[in-house]
Structure formats: C-alpha cells, structure tokens
Amino acid sequence: MPTDLSKIRNIGICAHIDAGKTTVSERILYYTGKNYKIGEVHEGTATMDFLQDEQERGITIQSAATTCPWTRHGQEYKINLIDTPGHVDFTIEVERSLRVLDGAVAVFDGKEGVEAQSETVWRQADRYRVPRICFINKMDKIGASFDFSYGTIKSRLGANGIPIQYPVGTGHDFSAIIDLVKMKAFFFEGEKGETMVEKAIPDSEVETAKKWRHDMIEKISELDDDLMGMYLEGKEPSNEQLVATLRKATVERRCYPVMCGAALRNMGVQLLLDAVIDYLPSPSEKPDVEGTDPRDKEVKMTRPHDKEAPFSALVFKVVSDTHGDLTYVRVYSGTLTKGTRLLNPGNNKKENASRIFEMHAQNRIPLEEVSAGNIVAVVGIKDSYTGDTLCDPDKPIILERMHFPEPVISMSIEPKGSDDKRRLSDALATIRREDPSFRYSYDDETGQTIISGMGELHLDIIRTKIVRDMKINVEVGKPKVSYRETITKKAEYVRGLHKKQSGGRGQFGDVIIHLEPFTAEQAAAEELDFEDNIAVENAIVGGAIPKEFIKPAMDGIRQTAKTGVKFGYPMINIKVTIVDGSSHDVDSSQVAFELAGRLALIAAADQAGPVLLEPIMKVVVTVPDEYLGNITGDIASRRGMIVNTDDRGVVKMVNAEIPLSELFGYTTDIRGMSQGRASATMEFLEYRQMPTSMMKEVLEAQAGGGKDKK
C-alpha cells in the first residue's frame, strides 16, 4: 500500500436509508479485490453490516471502516472507506464519520432523488466542509429517472451538481453509462460486471449525450476564467483541462460531479472509484488541521498533514470489545508507532497505544506504525472518547470537536434482579462510551433509570443489545418525550446573591444578569459560543467582579440551565449577560459565585415568561393516491402541519411537521390506514413552544408521579 499522502483517499458512503449505500460499499470491496465474493444486504451477508441486528433488520446501524486498494492511471491508491447508516436514529454515526473524512460519495435512489435524510446528511457534510461526488444509484429500478434525480439535487440541496455521466436507458432497459468527458459508453460484462467494456455511444443516444456534454462544458467553464474565455470564443477545452478544473472546484466545494449506476446489478462502481481518485482530495490537499492550545483556549494552532510533524489524531469512535476497547482515530499529523505513549490534552491523561490495526469491518490487520492521513483502530486507550484529541505529550494541541445531537426521546429501564442491577450500570456506561447520542440518568423521585436517544428504533436497538448481547434482564417503560424549557421575554438587572455567615469565614457571591431569548443565528452573528444552545457573556466593566470569579459565575449559570430552572427540563435558546455584581475581600470564593450565578438565572427565568418546548419532527409519508385523505386527516389529528405534497407517479409524498409526542407507533398506524402500502421517515426538526393546554397536561403528569420527566 502506498504511504504517499497524494495516493490516499479517506471517503464515506452516505445517504438516505435504502438508497443503496451498503450495496455500493460491497461492490467497492469486490472490485478492489478486498473481498473475493459480493456480500448482499438482502441476504444478510454484507461485510460492512456485520452486527446481528444489522443482518436481521437489513439496515446499517453503525458505521464500518475498511481499507482497500485501487489502481488508476497505472498507480496504486489507498482508499480508507467508511459505510455510514441512513436511518435518522443513527445520525451520530454519520456525524462522527464526516468529521474525519476528506471526501464523501452521496448516494441517491434513482427513482426517489433527494429524500429527507439525504438533506440531513448533506447539511452535515456542509458543516464539516467535506467535498462530495453524487452517485444516482438504482437506475435499473422501474420509474428511475436521472433527469428527475439530478433536478432534486439542484432544487432541494441547492447544490451546483455537474453531471459527468448519463445513463443509456432506465429501469429494465438500463444497459450502459455514457462518460460525458470521454464521450464513450461503458458496458459491464461478466457474471459480476467485473469486465468494463468501452464502446462507441449507441446511435440512439448520441444527440442526448452531445446536449449533456455541452451543458457540462458550460458549467465547468463557469468555474475557471481561462476556460470561460475559451468557451466564449467558441473553443472547446481539452478533456484534461475539464478534469483538472472540475477537480479543483470539487475540492473547493464549488461544485459536485454527478454520476449514475446500478450497484445491485454491478454497473458503474468501477467508474465511481475512478472518480474518487480523480475528483476527491487527498489529505495533503486539505487545509492544515486547526486546533487550540490546551493551556490557553484563545490561542489558535494548526498541524500540517505531514508524517514528520508532531503527532495529532482525533478519536471518532470507540467500540467495546472482549479483547480491549477499539478506539478508532484519524491521524492528522505525525507518525504513531506501536507502544507509543500519548497525551489526551482534554483531560490531561496519558494513554498507551499498545497495538494498531487497519480495520476491514470487524476484521483486523496489525500494523507496526501509522502516519498522517490514515484511519486506524488502536487498542490500549483507556480514558479517551469520541471527540477527544490524542497528541504528542511534548507538543499538545486540542483539535476541533464534533457536534453531538441532543436526545429527543427517553424511557425507563429497570433491572429485574440484584445481579442485573449491578451489571446494568456497567452496561449503560459501555453503551454511552460507544454512542455519544445516548444518555442515561437515575431519577431519584421514581427510583428509575432513564435512558434517552434519537428515536424509538435507537432505543429498541439499545434494549436489544442489553437483553440479548449483554444478557441482562430488564423491563422497559413506554417511550417519553424529552422536552426543553425557554423564555419568551427579556428580564434585566436580576440579582443572584449568595450570602452565608456561620462563624469564621463566610460565603459571598453577588451577580447581576440580563436574560433574553436567543437563537443560533444571533449567536453566529455576534460570534458567541452557543454550546448546548446557551450563550453566556461577560459585560462587566470596572472590575465589579474580580476576574477569577467570572468563570465560576458563568459555570453556575450554564450548569443550572442544563438541569432545568422552572420545569426540570434543560433550558435552551437563551442568552445570559453578566452586567454587574460585587465581591467580598474575605468571604468571596469560586463556589460562592457559582451559586450566585445559579440563583440569578433562577430568579431571572421566573420574570422572563418561562414556557415548555416540544420536539417537532419532519415527517415524509409516501402514500398511494387513494389513501391520501386518510393520511392527511390523521396528520391534522396529531397536531401536525402539512408543508407540501409532491407527486411521484402513482404515489404522493406528504411533507409534514408533527410533534414527536403524537408519533409513537406512527409507522404501524399508517400501515393500517393504507392496507400496508404507506411508509414514513422522520427526523428531528426543531423545538417549538407547546400550546398552553398541552403544557399544562405535561406538567400535571410530571407532578403526578414524575412519569414525564426527562
């Protein structure tokens, strides 16, 4: 395998559920020679879906990593590949994978085009500035349309997609792929499509191909002044100029090459691999990785993608294993040798990389060392988790962390016996270490353990893991919604005074704050940290509160907001500004100001019109025309709002926004309303204020036994 950085590609395969991501991945493994036979999702034999739940349910639950070779232009390249889930409940797997990848292949269903989760994945890739290739899959599906799917990439994603291929036929008639750069048709022969044959474009497709090539040249020319000059003069750029310009613009995320194929029929995957090499960046083409100095978070630092630089890597996944936890890392700079001592600058703990493995799904290939640009798993790491940095102890740096979504649903879980109780605590800690989108807590009022996640399927998978895999007997309650609280108006000059005198040294902290509603957009505009959807700003002038007490006061405010102020749910979408206060030369302390900050927020929230927010889900229902009335009427009965309805042949796509509390068992319900012919996908959209009557019901239920608490 090459170690030259320019010969490495770190890519992810991501898209909406059922678009064919894992099938594409399996073909990649076969054509690169990594697998000697093709695994199939529908048969439960897919290499990348190796968990029992994945094989039984036919879906990807956790991202799987592998490394495979590919020869292009007579040179061997190394592709580090991550296959990610499409189901919204496992969006954390996509999030942490995109954080460490240099490029991605976004897969779309040739009949459905851009779907709900496609948009979510696209936004995640935007957040981490990941260049992409679009692959319109399933062109062999009845009703597939390249033109329609390409249109949805432009209209729904707002992406500058540039088709570089066009299909010959669709559905059962899909027979070849036209390369618009070479102006050749590629046919896939042999039992597994392993023989790619280049032929002249069929006569019936020549005019269509010329039109699409003309559009391609025009769009590529818009990306480069020299090419635009040639285009305006009526000169056609060379194929080499087109590819070079398209590569540069793709790496810079100014455009996205659009390709097509049918992975299940073994068509188009080799061309996709060629495009990964031609258009997606190597690690050396990415900007230096950014971080901060652990000793002073205000000091920005960078590390070059260079094996000679000080070592730095980001932990993006932890998998518990009987032989020791596997810690997946992306190496950004330097070289790691087996047995090296490392530093986690976040918690200041030393770690030992006792063994290094190149991963092939669940199989491991031992390595002696690994250098910048690679993705590997390490054994021996004890106190580092997803989002943590590992680095050279003498050259510390903290790399940018990743975004973890907040859980929107929870349920109680109770062990049946004393042995189960003891083991459950360890099991939940293990699952939390593996899955940062999972939370658990102990409710003192009810004596129950509460587990929280991203959806019903997410919690069901966790329950299965606890019962079947960890052999712990538990009883689970019904799922509950995770609400939030916020405010509706501003409260100014509210004092939080913590004063205690009980002989000897007393306690004194005095903080005065403004509290106001706030949004992520406002935080971005004002360049304020909006962690957990809370902004805390210091506006003290003249030293009314000594500098050493400002941070404790801020910490007290943040911690109080996280645990809830008025209703016992986390507080979000607020800005707290510390405007004044006072201190005592002897009695003031960090603890006193932390408590003063807490008291100030509690008092201010009382004056600022506190309300409850509920999670709203974006729901997309696919339903035959004759059952549309049943579905729309049901949505209205669930306090839902229909955003729009699209025609998709003989079915309708209903886009709606519905409170999560109204959606338990929804998939089963709509099947009953449509004789099993309707299906739905849903994802978290936002938190919105609850109607007063509903808020009253939730709070009464909470007061009547704590059953609706988070």
Side-chain angles (χ1 to χ4, degrees):
M1 283 287 194
T3 54
D4 179 356
L5 274 182
S6 67
K7 302 295 189 294
I8 294 175
R9 298 292 184 272
N10 294 311
I11 66 164
I13 310 290
C14 45
H16 185 91
I17 191 170
D18 285 339
K21 295 176 305 302
T22 302
T23 303
V24 170
S25 298
E26 293 299 320
R27 269 54 182 183
I28 288 174
L29 295 179
Y30 178 73
Y31 295 127
T32 58
K34 196 72 180 184
N35 279 358
Y36 68 91
K37 67 176 185 176
I38 294 177
E40 300 291 5
V41 176
H42 56 274
E43 295 174 359
T45 58
T47 302
M48 303 299 269
D49 285 353
F50 56 83
L51 296 182
Q52 185 176 339
D53 267 321
E54 292 178 318
Q55 293 170 354
E56 289 175 355
R57 298 170 189 257
I59 62 172
T60 302
I61 292 170
Q62 71 172 29
S63 54
T66 190
T67 300
C68 48
W70 187 245
T71 301
R72 177 73 170 145
H73 307 304
Q75 297 185 337
E76 188 172 319
Y77 289 79
K78 176 179 180 180
I79 298 176
N80 292 315
L81 173 73
I82 297 181
D83 175 32
T84 65
H87 198 288
V88 67
D89 283 18
F90 312 110
T91 189
I92 181 62
E93 293 289 337
V94 183
E95 186 83 24
R96 58 182 168 193
S97 299
L98 287 171
R99 169 63 182 84
V100 298
L101 293 171
D102 300 323
V105 175
V107 181
F108 303 95
D109 185 308
K111 180 183 177 184
E112 309 299 338
V114 174
E115 299 175 85
Q117 188 65 7
S118 311
E119 295 182 48
T120 302
V121 170
W122 196 266
R123 287 195 301 271
Q124 288 173 304
D126 281 341
R127 183 185 302 130
Y128 293 116
R129 302 177 288 281
V130 177
R132 275 144 279 170
I133 289 173
C134 301
F135 183 69
I136 299 175
N137 191 29
K138 300 191 177 183
M139 290 308 304
D140 58 330
K141 190 176 180 180
I142 295 174
S145 167
F146 181 86
D147 299 45
F148 166 76
S149 297
Y150 169 55
T152 63
I153 290 172
K154 292 191 294 182
S155 61
R156 296 185 188 172
L157 301 178
N160 182 24
I162 301 182
I164 58 173
Q165 294 180 345
Y166 194 76
V168 176
T170 57
H172 293 316
D173 298 326
F174 178 51
S175 58
I177 295 168
I178 296 171
D179 183 322
L180 298 172
V181 177
K182 291 184 175 181
M183 284 300 277
K184 293 287 185 181
F186 286 87
F187 294 79
F188 299 86
E189 300 176 356
E191 187 182 346
K192 301 292 184 185
E194 63 273 11
T195 306
M196 193 167 65
V197 182
E198 180 181 316
K199 298 182 181 179
I201 297 172
D203 293 342
S204 60
E205 301 293 332
V206 170
E207 289 307 312
T208 301
K210 284 180 178 177
K211 172 191 169 296
W212 281 89
R213 176 174 165 85
H214 178 271
D215 291 347
M216 177 191 74
I217 291 173
E218 183 177 0
K219 290 178 78 69
I220 294 176
S221 297
E222 291 171 358
L223 301 167
D224 182 87
D225 291 341
D226 292 339
L227 259 60
M228 178 53 74
M230 291 177 63
Y231 179 77
L232 293 174
E233 291 172 12
K235 298 176 184 175
E236 186 167 298
S238 68
N239 289 350
E240 291 74 18
Q241 287 174 308
L242 291 172
V243 170
T245 301
L246 186 58
R247 176 183 179 78
K248 183 174 184 292
T250 302
V251 170
E252 294 170 352
R253 295 183 300 113
R254 292 188 288 130
C255 70
Y256 306 91
V258 180
M259 309 179 72
C260 61
L264 192 62
R265 278 179 56 192
N266 314 308
M267 298 176 70
V269 177
Q270 297 100 316
L271 293 173
L272 176 63
L273 282 164
D274 287 346
V276 164
I277 303 302
D278 289 346
Y279 301 115
L280 292 181
S282 67
S284 57
E285 292 173 280
K286 298 287 283 184
D288 290 354
V289 64
E290 297 179 349
T292 55
D293 188 332
R295 293 155 295 201
D296 185 350
K297 300 290 173 56
E298 300 300 315
V299 177
K300 303 296 183 187
M301 305 176 73
T302 60
R303 287 279 190 273
H305 301 277
D306 183 349
K307 65 180 181 180
E308 303 299 331
F311 179 78
S312 69
L314 188 77
V315 176
F316 70 95
K317 187 180 175 76
V318 178
V319 177
S320 295
D321 190 89
T322 51
H323 305 295
D325 287 355
L326 276 176
T327 302
Y328 285 76
V329 300
R330 160 68 193 267
V331 181
Y332 282 101
S333 63
T335 301
L336 176 65
T337 305
K338 186 173 75 171
T340 302
R341 294 281 285 174
L342 300 171
L343 173 69
N344 178 338
N347 58 21
N348 210 32
K349 291 190 176 181
K350 295 286 181 69
E351 298 279 19
N352 182 39
S354 57
R355 285 180 289 168
I356 305 170
F357 296 104
E358 182 181 282
M359 297 301 296
H360 177 45
Q362 62 184 331
N363 300 315
R364 313 173 184 186
I365 301 165
L367 301 174
E368 289 300 312
E369 67 173 29
V370 62
S371 58
N374 283 288
I375 293 173
V376 293
V378 180
V379 172
I381 308 299
K382 304 293 185 188
D383 298 301
S384 299
Y385 308 112
T386 301
D388 285 353
T389 300
L390 294 172
C391 64
D392 183 332
D394 298 324
K395 303 277 186 175
I397 184 174
I398 295 181
L399 304 178
E400 177 192 355
R401 293 183 67 86
M402 55 195 75
H403 169 79
F404 298 140
E406 286 295 315
V408 296
I409 188 171
S410 59
M411 67 183 184
S412 62
I413 182 166
E414 296 183 74
K416 290 184 178 178
S418 56
D419 184 51
D420 295 320
K421 183 175 183 178
R422 179 182 56 79
R423 293 169 59 219
L424 178 62
S425 178
D426 293 339
L428 294 177
T430 297
I431 295 169
R432 171 78 176 113
R433 196 162 63 245
E434 290 185 346
D435 182 356
S437 65
F438 169 72
R439 306 277 197 281
Y440 68 97
S441 61
Y442 186 75
D443 191 321
D444 292 322
E445 290 183 25
T446 63
Q448 294 176 320
T449 298
I450 307 297
I451 61 173
S452 305
M454 300 305 298
E456 287 185 272
L457 178 59
H458 188 197
L459 293 184
D460 187 44
I461 295 287
I462 287 168
R463 182 194 61 79
T464 302
K465 180 181 284 192
I466 291 169
V467 174
R468 185 186 66 197
D469 301 342
M470 298 178 168
K471 306 290 191 294
I472 302 172
N473 294 313
V474 295
E475 289 183 354
V476 297
K478 290 184 178 179
K480 302 288 182 184
V481 177
S482 293
Y483 297 105
R484 296 290 184 268
E485 56 183 82
T486 193
I487 54 171
T488 54
K489 59 185 180 182
K490 192 171 184 177
E492 296 186 310
Y493 299 106
V494 182
R495 168 169 264 134
L497 178 63
H498 176 70
K499 188 175 181 181
K500 208 169 185 181
Q501 193 71 44
S502 55
R505 181 176 173 177
Q507 294 181 29
F508 183 89
D510 178 22
V511 175
I512 297 174
I513 65 169
H514 293 336
L515 174 64
E516 60 188 297
F518 209 56
T519 64
E521 291 75 18
Q522 288 173 294
E526 296 183 24
E527 297 185 352
L528 288 177
D529 179 11
F530 203 51
E531 185 183 347
D532 297 318
N533 293 311
I534 304 160
V536 185
E537 187 177 26
N538 173 27
I540 295 247
V541 290
I545 299 177
K547 186 178 178 181
E548 65 267 25
F549 298 139
I550 297 292
K551 186 177 183 303
M554 287 181 160
D555 290 345
I557 290 165
R558 281 194 174 276
Q559 288 304 317
T560 303
K562 282 182 185 179
T563 55
V565 176
K566 187 72 176 174
F567 309 117
Y569 297 101
M571 201 172 193
I572 64 171
N573 298 343
I574 60 168
K575 177 184 176 184
V576 182
T577 308
I578 302 177
V579 295
D580 204 354
S582 62
S583 65
H584 188 279
D585 290 343
V586 177
D587 293 346
S588 287
S589 65
Q590 292 188 351
V591 172
F593 271 91
E594 197 171 309
L595 291 168
R598 172 181 173 79
L599 293 171
L601 181 60
I602 292 171
D606 225 16
Q607 300 176 24
V611 292
L612 265 187
L613 302 175
E614 62 179 338
I616 303 296
M617 306 300 284
K618 177 182 175 182
V619 181
V620 181
V621 185
T622 305
V623 57
D625 283 358
E626 58 264 39
Y627 301 107
L628 180 63
N630 294 356
I631 297 297
T632 55
D634 180 68
I635 289 172
S637 73
R638 296 174 187 266
R639 297 192 288 127
M641 178 178 72
I642 295 174
V643 178
N644 58 52
T645 303
D646 292 338
D647 285 311
R648 292 286 178 90
V650 296
V651 299
K652 301 283 188 185
M653 301 283 285
V654 182
N655 292 274
E657 296 172 3
I658 309 174
L660 175 61
S661 59
E662 307 285 348
L663 287 172
F664 294 127
Y666 184 63
T667 304
T668 304
D669 292 345
I670 62 168
R671 284 178 183 151
M673 287 182 271
S674 62
Q675 295 186 7
R677 295 174 64 192
S679 62
T681 62
M682 62 184 77
E683 64 174 305
F684 172 71
L685 178 64
E686 63 181 3
Y687 277 97
R688 282 187 199 153
Q689 186 173 335
M690 293 181 75
T692 306
S693 58
M694 295 298 302
M695 182 170 148
K696 190 175 177 184
E697 281 182 29
V698 169
L699 295 176
E700 284 176 354
Q702 179 180 312
K707 292 181 181 177
D708 258 313
K709 277 195 78 174
K710 64 182 187 299

